[in-house]
Amino acid sequence: MDPVVPPFHIHRPDGAGTPVIVASPHSGREYPAEFLRMSRLDARALRRSEDCYVDQLFAAAPGQGATLLHATFPRAYCDVNREAWELDPTMFSEKLPDWCNTTSSKVRAGFGTIARMVSHDGPIYPRPLPFSEAEARIRTCWQPYHDALGCLVDDSMTRHGCCILLDAHSMPALKGRGMQADFVLGNAWGTACSPQLTALVEQVLVGHGYDVARNVPFAGGYVTRHYGRPRRGVQALQLEISRALYMDQDTLAPHAGFAAVQAVLRDLVDRLVLYGGLLGQQAAE
């Protein structure tokens, strides 16, 4: 990363805040010049993996009492919704250390911590990378992001006795694939948050007229599974938003539906803040 660009931004609410954290790990759009030079793809192709504008969709969250965390680096550069060392051995010019996870389904698909692919545009790199490149990205992007997120979760537990982590993403609308949900809620098949929280989010979105699915095709990635510990008071839910609702997938520009989705998400955060207040009261009793 360019040293003048921090790897993430944290937007905190005024006062004590609430137990709600909204995180956007994939909306970063600061593409390092060296990364663009080493890629066989142009910036437009690389942006196909970006969760465009998700941080902006939740821009009102701090004013509502929630903390907003978002990465500045792009997902194609380093994916913080993977384990730190989830790496494809075919991408590198030397043998990877034994501690790397080289066999996960995400690695096999080309979407490890350092991605090999961007959707249908093929491989990102024309030649193997040195392992030092992965080390540098993980040290300067992955680790700081998770240090920050871990501190936010711990601080919420200390202040409020609970934490609600909404991990926000967007998903491409697949043309010609029949009915597709507007939103997908991923709770790692019921292990990352309570049924009540999942039902609340679903109720809000359905109330606005949207189609909502659970766990299929996105059950939640590393963030949801790693931080979600509902029995300990930390609830994590992944939210996937169809890009067709708010942006043109060809030009990658927001369209007229952007403001409407923002309004729906403001309502959702309001409801989560109220729910978090109830959980905090219960934790204090």
Side-chain angles (χ1 to χ4, degrees):
M1 284 291 290
D2 187 324
V4 304
V5 179
F8 59 84
H9 290 304
I10 299 175
H11 306 274
R12 301 178 187 271
D14 294 332
T18 71
V20 179
I21 300 168
V22 178
S24 176
H26 290 163
S27 59
R29 45 195 171 269
E30 296 289 340
Y31 287 79
E34 181 60 27
F35 173 50
L36 294 176
R37 282 193 292 269
M38 68 174 60
S39 171
R40 58 172 285 275
L41 305 177
D42 61 21
R44 181 184 178 83
L46 290 169
R47 289 197 68 194
R48 294 188 190 280
S49 69
E50 182 186 312
D51 287 351
C52 298
Y53 315 113
V54 167
D55 56 325
Q56 295 179 22
L57 288 173
F58 284 96
Q64 299 172 269
T67 298
L68 175 62
L69 165 69
H70 63 90
T72 59
F73 53 89
R75 176 188 191 179
Y77 185 73
C78 182
D79 192 341
V80 292
N81 203 25
R82 303 286 181 264
E83 298 173 22
W85 303 99
E86 202 167 347
L87 301 175
D88 184 341
T90 68
M91 290 180 59
F92 298 94
S93 55
E94 63 258 58
K95 185 179 184 296
L96 296 181
D98 293 339
W99 68 76
C100 295
N101 178 353
T102 61
T103 60
S104 75
S105 60
K106 295 297 185 183
V107 165
R108 291 194 299 272
F111 304 115
T113 315
I114 308 300
R116 173 169 54 86
M117 308 282 290
V118 173
S119 185
H120 58 272
D121 292 301
I124 297 173
Y125 307 98
R127 59 186 63 88
L129 302 175
F131 177 62
S132 60
E133 181 68 28
E135 286 184 298
R137 296 185 196 183
I138 291 165
R139 184 178 68 252
T140 60
C141 296
W142 193 100
Q143 196 63 59
Y145 182 89
H146 282 283
D147 286 347
L149 181 53
C151 285
L152 290 175
V153 171
D154 290 345
D155 183 63
S156 180
M157 291 299 296
T158 299
R159 289 173 177 266
H160 308 288
C162 60
C163 178
I164 296 174
L165 171 59
L166 185 68
D167 198 47
H169 299 257
S170 68
M171 56 185 179
L174 303 177
K175 298 176 182 179
R177 296 291 182 91
M179 181 62 68
Q180 186 180 22
D182 298 310
F183 294 87
V184 178
L185 309 182
N187 60 18
W189 300 102
T191 64
C193 72
S194 69
Q196 292 82 4
L197 177 60
T198 306
L200 171 64
V201 174
E202 183 176 60
Q203 179 186 45
V204 172
L205 297 174
V206 170
H208 282 279
Y210 293 105
D211 293 315
V212 180
R214 294 191 186 187
N215 292 311
V216 178
F218 305 107
Y222 175 81
V223 169
T224 306
R225 297 170 190 270
H226 178 74
Y227 292 96
R229 297 291 183 270
R231 292 184 180 180
R232 301 179 188 177
V234 181
Q235 303 202 53
L237 180 67
Q238 180 172 292
L239 175 70
E240 293 276 359
I241 308 164
S242 174
R243 293 172 191 165
L245 295 175
Y246 69 90
M247 63 176 281
D248 185 309
Q249 294 183 104
D250 294 322
T251 66
L252 305 182
H255 61 47
F258 191 90
V261 175
Q262 272 189 320
V264 170
L265 296 177
R266 282 197 299 271
D267 185 31
L268 175 60
V269 171
D270 278 340
R271 296 289 295 276
L272 289 177
V273 166
L274 289 173
Y275 184 67
L278 293 176
L279 293 181
Q281 291 175 8
Q282 294 172 6
E285 293 175 353

